[in-house]
Amino acid sequence: MLIKLDHITYSISKLEYPIIHKKLESKGYQIKFSEINFKNPINKMELMIEFQEFSDMVYYEKKGFISIEVIIYKKIHMDMNTIEEIFEQNHCEFFVNDFKTMSEMLSIIGGKINNEREINIKNLIDKSIYVIKFNELSLKRTWLCDFNGTGCLTFLVNSCENMKNKLEDNNYICTEINEIKIGENKINIFFVSNEYGDFIEVISMVKKEKKDV
Amino acid sequence: MCKEYILKWLQEELSICIDNQEDFCKSNYLESGLIDSMGFVQLIAEIEDYFEITMTEEDFENPELMTIYGLINLVEEKQSKL
């Protein structure tokens, strides 16, 4: 079950970070948490030019807006097709290779298609609706996690296992589920891509180990 | 028992400090900022597992879910149907 659109990732180099931080702060974003030498999940290997075991991460949030996870890679690759995505209150415009297949993929995870370019994502917690509008790239690109710039959309679900099964039943290619640790929380994570190379990230909380309380 | 279990779990697992149980149980725990969305997802998963129930999308539509008393009612209602 889809709980909410959690965040969008933004990949940058260490040199760029002060500029990005200033930019986000000026737009009203605040740091929620950060991790130094955060261990990247192995399943990201398929989606990077060169796998880096560790990177830094800073998570920003702003009420009513999509949260942004800035990932600071030691080595970042320049995307020749860098695009400035548009984030407004309760909606964003996102560039993809093919909007129709992206909308279809998001409808499998629980989004509601408005029209073929737009999808609504309901936040089951605060009941708000987030609208994602897809713009199609004139020039198709292969985007990877360690490319500089806006990355992928990340969705929080109640169970990664169930969501992965659902997507695979619909012939989508998913990575393995990996467990990562952020602060005190353990999180399951996997990626799913469509035939045009557009991909999203899906996360769920790992249940705390059972003990007698 | 349900109330005690949930409160103890929140205190031990999410390190939530509950000064006044009655006020806490009546308040919207998300609006008060005591539990964030990750904590909420963990809480629901724990409740589903411990009480052997399943929350549906319709349950999430129910505003009662956002208070501990509402949550307890929902758990008891689901358990009575098992």
Side-chain angles (χ1 to χ4, degrees):
Chain A
M1 180 165 51
L2 172 64
I3 306 289
K4 66 168 187 165
L5 168 63
D6 191 74
H7 65 265
I8 186 166
T9 57
Y10 198 85
S11 306
I12 58 166
S13 67
K14 210 166 193 160
L15 271 176
E16 246 187 309
Y17 178 65
I19 303 161
I20 297 295
H21 173 72
K22 228 174 191 173
K23 190 175 164 187
L24 289 173
E25 263 197 342
S26 71
K27 288 185 173 178
Y29 276 91
Q30 288 183 327
I31 295 175
K32 188 181 180 193
F33 60 83
S34 60
E35 288 272 314
I36 304 290
N37 271 333
F38 156 79
K39 202 170 193 295
N40 280 306
I42 296 290
N43 58 16
K44 228 182 194 181
M45 198 181 279
E46 301 168 33
L47 297 164
M48 290 174 83
I49 289 188
E50 198 178 325
F51 182 67
Q52 297 167 49
E53 198 177 355
F54 298 99
S55 50
D56 299 337
M57 183 248 279
V58 189
Y59 191 96
Y60 291 84
E61 62 178 12
K62 180 181 175 183
K63 202 171 166 54
F65 285 68
I66 187 170
S67 295
I68 297 176
E69 183 184 271
V70 175
I71 306 201
I72 306 157
Y73 288 105
K74 289 180 176 64
K75 196 171 178 185
I76 197 94
H77 298 270
M78 295 310 289
D79 178 6
M80 299 308 287
N81 205 2
T82 298
I83 297 145
E84 185 76 21
E85 309 280 359
I86 300 160
F87 305 113
E88 299 292 344
Q89 191 155 21
N90 296 322
H91 84 272
C92 71
E93 288 188 30
F94 201 75
F95 284 85
V96 290
N97 285 326
D98 188 82
F99 58 75
K100 196 166 179 281
T101 49
M102 190 62 163
S103 294
E104 280 167 5
M105 186 160 78
L106 295 191
S107 72
I108 303 291
I109 71 160
K112 298 271 180 290
I113 296 174
N114 263 347
N115 58 57
E116 57 184 9
R117 282 181 182 274
E118 238 179 56
I119 192 150
N120 288 352
I121 304 292
K122 184 165 186 177
N123 181 327
L124 276 189
I125 301 170
D126 67 13
K127 316 291 182 282
S128 62
I129 303 280
Y130 199 89
V131 181
I132 306 169
K133 184 180 175 191
F134 294 115
N135 292 318
E136 212 164 83
L137 292 160
S138 49
L139 199 64
K140 302 275 184 262
R141 65 173 178 172
T142 304
W143 193 89
L144 294 166
C145 291
D146 51 351
F147 275 6
N148 181 264
T150 310
C152 65
L153 297 160
T154 301
F155 297 86
L156 175 65
V157 300
N158 66 336
S159 161
C160 270
E161 289 84 3
N162 293 348
M163 192 55 80
K164 184 174 185 285
N165 289 338
K166 194 176 173 186
L167 285 158
E168 285 176 341
D169 286 347
N170 283 276
N171 302 317
Y172 286 97
I173 299 162
C174 302
T175 65
E176 290 302 309
I177 297 172
N178 284 167
E179 189 179 296
I180 55 169
K181 199 166 182 280
I182 298 174
E184 290 304 307
N185 292 324
K186 284 181 185 166
I187 288 170
N188 275 332
I189 175 173
F190 74 94
F191 297 89
V192 53
S193 56
N194 63 27
E195 63 200 275
Y196 289 91
D198 296 315
F199 64 91
I200 58 166
E201 186 179 65
V202 181
I203 58 170
S204 69
M205 299 298 294
V206 174
K207 268 181 56 56
K208 303 258 184 196
E209 277 169 33
K210 223 174 182 70
K211 59 183 180 184
D212 294 327
V213 293
Chain B
M1 182 209 150
C2 182
K3 180 180 166 185
E4 283 72 37
Y5 181 81
I6 293 172
L7 292 180
K8 199 164 184 185
W9 187 87
L10 288 171
Q11 286 170 318
E12 294 191 354
E13 299 298 335
L14 300 187
S15 306
I16 292 172
C17 178
I18 302 168
D19 295 327
N20 184 320
Q21 270 196 21
E22 196 59 19
D23 286 350
F24 177 75
C25 290
K26 283 182 193 164
S27 68
N28 182 317
Y29 46 78
L30 285 166
E31 277 178 4
S32 65
L34 285 165
I35 301 176
D36 64 10
S37 56
M38 290 296 191
F40 173 71
V41 175
Q42 280 178 305
L43 172 64
I44 297 299
E46 177 61 28
I47 285 174
E48 285 185 320
D49 194 51
Y50 187 81
F51 296 103
E52 296 177 335
I53 56 167
T54 305
M55 296 288 185
T56 63
E57 275 196 50
E58 287 71 41
D59 294 326
F60 280 88
E61 297 291 339
N62 186 346
E64 273 204 29
L65 195 71
M66 301 305 160
T67 69
I68 298 299
Y69 278 145
L71 202 49
I72 293 166
N73 288 342
L74 199 60
V75 171
E76 287 174 348
E77 194 186 309
K78 282 182 179 283
Q79 278 188 316
S80 70
K81 287 177 188 165
L82 288 176

